[in-house]
Structure formats: structure tokens, C-alpha cells
Amino acid sequence: MTEHALRLDALLDRFDAVRHADPHTYRWAHRHDGGEHPFHLVFSSLIHGNEVGSLAGLVAVVEDLAAGRIRFGGRATFFIGNPEAGRANVRFLDADLNRVFVPDLAGSAHEIKRALEIMPMLEEADAYFDFHQTIKPARQPFYIFPWSEAAWLWVRAVQGAEVWVTRNPGQAFASGVMCADEYVRERGVPGITLELGEKGWSQEAADTTYRVITEALKLADDEATGARTLRDAAMAVPDVHFYDTMHRQAFSDPAMALVDGVGNFEPVTEGAVLSRVSSPELKAACTGAVLFPKYPPRDADGNALDPRPKEIYRVVAELDQHPLELWGSGAE
Ligand SMILES: [Zn+2]
């Protein structure tokens, strides 16, 4: 066994030692019921198998809840999305789990069966937090999902990241349900994705996950008991900075190649050359920051192997107006 698999198994064993749930529940889920109020928070890690950074934080919260070191009066579900892909240290085994949350889902692929196990838990959420990591390094953690005022209060109050890459919620609707967080938002419930930096083991990612989950539990208790509203808690701390996608560079030619070392949230100015010498020229379409730079495997001639990603990178830029003014509450 690899060191990676041993480390993962040690965390899964710790989770197993304290988890409890009724027998029909998904095998890698823990259910907590504080018995004081019905508010139900759902948290997930490892929806993508090689994004292991958040797992130690989620497992530590479950242990601390089980041991009474932290308390929560409401209901909470914690699940580990794809430990099978995690052991292999790959994003997925058969299909990208975070692309299959569609109505009338059917099939025998590992991730399709998994999505069918996860969906009933997502359907119970009053708010959902999904912890991910990026393929390339990131200058800072960031939230990424369409605007909604209800989600904004959580995002701001839990202080998981200083930036939120968001978009007009009207645009998101047309794309249909595919990600786990979208499946939750489809019901009008906040579904929040937090990207914690480059994929892999990370104390920082684990610490942020622990802090965000425990803060969310506290906020939900305060709201439910009337001690403090979520809105008041959010307004008491600084707002996040909002970014929107300004340009998506199509990976239209397999010869396109980014210069080495471009990470997430790398600042760029309009016209900056991002391509490698002797590959088709790529210039930043506007001033902002690069997101999701792709470095796919290539053949001997330097052409990206199929299937290559649809986009080679995006450029995001800070919004000069608040999304609340631009798009309203984001509710239907
Ligand atoms: Zn992910």
C-alpha cells in the first residue's frame, strides 16, 4: 500500500470508529441529532478522490461531536464522497461524481451509484458545504458558485475564504443540475463550494475545514435559539470580495500551452502573454486573475491528448458592484 492510501485509511478508520447512522444510510456518512432544533447542515469531503485536504478536518469535527467536545443542537450529516477514488488517488474511477447529479439518474458506474446514495442526504439539507481543492496551486482559498443572498450570509459569516468567484444565478439555471451543490440549490437551499488550495494533504485545508464546519454549527444553533441571527453574524465581519468570470479561453487547438507555473488567482493584466514560446499565442483578455489553468498530458509533438479540457484557463475579475445590487436576492 502507498503512504497516501495508508494515511487515507487511517482517517477512514477514525471516521468509522465514531460514525453512526441508521443502516439504510450511505456507508461513509455520520448523522448527528442534537434534539433541540430541526435545522439540518450537510457537509462533504472527497467528492473528488484526490482532493483529500479537507478530510482530516471533517473527521476531527465528527470525533469532537461524538465525544462531546463540541455540541450542536440541530441535525448534521457528514459524508465522505468517494473514498474508493481517494485510495487510488484519482479524481474519479468511472465518471466525475460532481457532474452526475441529474434528475432520473440511472446506471451502474461507480460514481452514478454513489450519487444515488448521496442524493437523499442532500435533499435533507437546510444548508450544504462541499469542500474541494484545485488541480494547481492557489494563491488563496475561494468559494465558487452562483450568487444567492441566502448563501452569501453563510459565506460571509463562516469566513472560509476572502473571495467568492460567483456568477449571475440566472445564467446558472440553464446549465441544469450536475454538481452536488447545484442539486441542493435546485431546491432553493444554499449549496456552498469552497476550494481550499492545491489538491493533496494539507494542514491548512484541514484547519480551514474544521473552522468552517464548527462555525457553521455555532451559527445554526444561534439562529435556531434566537441568540443571534445569521444575518447579524454575517454583518459583524468583513464582506468577501466578489469575482466574476470575464473570459473563458477555449482549448480550441491541441497545440495551445500555458507557460509553466501559472496557478489559481495568479494576477494578470490585459494583454499579458500566457502561452509558452512556439505555441499559439494566448493573451489575457482583461485584467484580473487566472483561474483553473490546465496542463494536460501531451504527445511527443506537444499536442494535448484527447479528451482535452474545454477551457485552457479563465480570467476572473473583481466585480465593481455588489451582487446584491446586480442580481438581487438570487431567489426565483
Ligand atoms: Zn473538486
Side-chain angles (χ1 to χ4, degrees):
M1 270 227 288
T2 63
E3 196 198 320
H4 167 88
L6 287 168
R7 199 164 170 181
L8 181 61
D9 279 350
L11 283 169
L12 295 174
D13 286 347
R14 279 170 53 189
F15 186 79
D16 244 1
V18 294
R19 81 173 275 266
H20 68 89
D22 77 66
H24 305 292
T25 305
Y26 166 53
R27 192 242 175 280
W28 292 106
H30 170 73
R31 308 272 255 175
H32 169 91
D33 189 346
E36 291 165 19
H37 62 83
F39 198 90
H40 196 151
L41 281 160
V42 177
F43 304 95
S44 59
S45 175
L46 218 65
I47 289 243
H48 288 133
N50 50 7
E51 299 172 10
V52 292
S54 60
L55 186 60
L58 181 131
V59 169
V61 173
V62 170
E63 287 176 332
D64 286 354
L65 265 177
R69 287 188 290 268
I70 51 179
R71 60 169 309 286
F72 177 54
R75 294 181 294 164
T77 296
F78 303 82
F79 72 87
I80 303 171
N82 201 344
E84 299 85 353
R87 278 206 192 88
N89 203 9
V90 292
R91 187 173 174 86
F92 56 81
L93 296 181
D94 298 329
D96 190 329
L97 178 56
N98 217 23
R99 300 289 181 271
V100 297
F101 288 88
V102 294
D104 305 317
L105 180 66
S108 58
H110 166 69
E111 280 83 5
I112 290 182
K113 289 191 285 181
R114 180 57 40 82
L116 289 166
E117 293 177 294
I118 290 173
M119 281 170 168
M121 298 186 290
L122 297 178
E123 286 161 15
E124 293 179 44
D126 292 311
Y128 170 52
F129 289 81
D130 189 17
F131 297 94
H132 285 256
Q133 288 174 298
T134 48
I135 295 169
K136 287 290 162 191
R139 290 194 168 220
Q140 58 189 327
F142 58 95
Y143 296 101
I144 181 160
F145 63 99
W147 164 257
S148 103
E149 186 181 11
W152 169 52
L153 299 180
W154 287 103
V155 155
R156 182 165 166 172
V158 300
Q159 296 184 279
E162 290 175 10
V163 291
W164 177 1
V165 178
T166 191
R167 58 184 185 270
N168 184 341
Q171 288 171 355
F173 191 69
S175 72
V177 177
M178 287 199 295
C179 301
D181 65 348
E182 283 180 280
Y183 189 73
V184 168
R185 285 196 300 275
E186 200 66 359
R187 297 172 42 247
V189 169
I192 294 162
T193 290
L194 180 53
E195 298 278 358
L196 294 164
E198 187 179 14
K199 65 182 160 59
W201 302 107
S202 156
Q203 188 61 48
E204 201 182 334
D207 290 347
T208 303
T209 302
Y210 185 92
R211 195 167 48 73
V212 166
I213 295 175
T214 50
E215 192 60 37
L217 297 175
K218 193 144 39 90
L219 290 160
D221 265 347
D222 284 354
E223 167 101 9
T225 59
R228 182 161 76 153
T229 66
L230 177 62
R231 182 173 291 275
D232 284 348
M235 295 312 141
V237 293
D239 204 353
V240 291
H241 295 270
F242 297 94
Y243 283 72
D244 196 1
T245 300
M246 297 295 141
H247 181 71
R248 294 165 189 263
Q249 179 58 54
F251 209 146
S252 51
D253 177 345
M256 284 177 168
L258 283 170
V259 67
D260 285 339
V262 178
N264 289 287
F265 265 93
E266 189 91 15
V268 285
T269 50
E270 186 178 342
V273 176
L274 295 167
S275 47
R276 204 174 287 173
V277 180
S278 76
S279 69
E281 191 173 69
L282 296 167
K283 283 181 169 179
C286 61
T287 295
V290 175
L291 209 62
F292 302 135
K294 304 293 193 323
Y295 293 87
R298 295 181 183 271
D299 65 18
D301 299 324
N303 290 318
L305 300 181
D306 285 329
R308 66 174 185 269
K310 283 193 183 65
E311 298 166 10
I312 187 163
Y313 64 89
R314 299 182 191 182
V315 179
V316 297
E318 189 164 359
L319 288 168
D320 50 19
Q321 247 184 305
H322 200 283
L324 196 57
E325 293 164 31
L326 285 172
W327 304 315
S329 72
E332 296 288 302

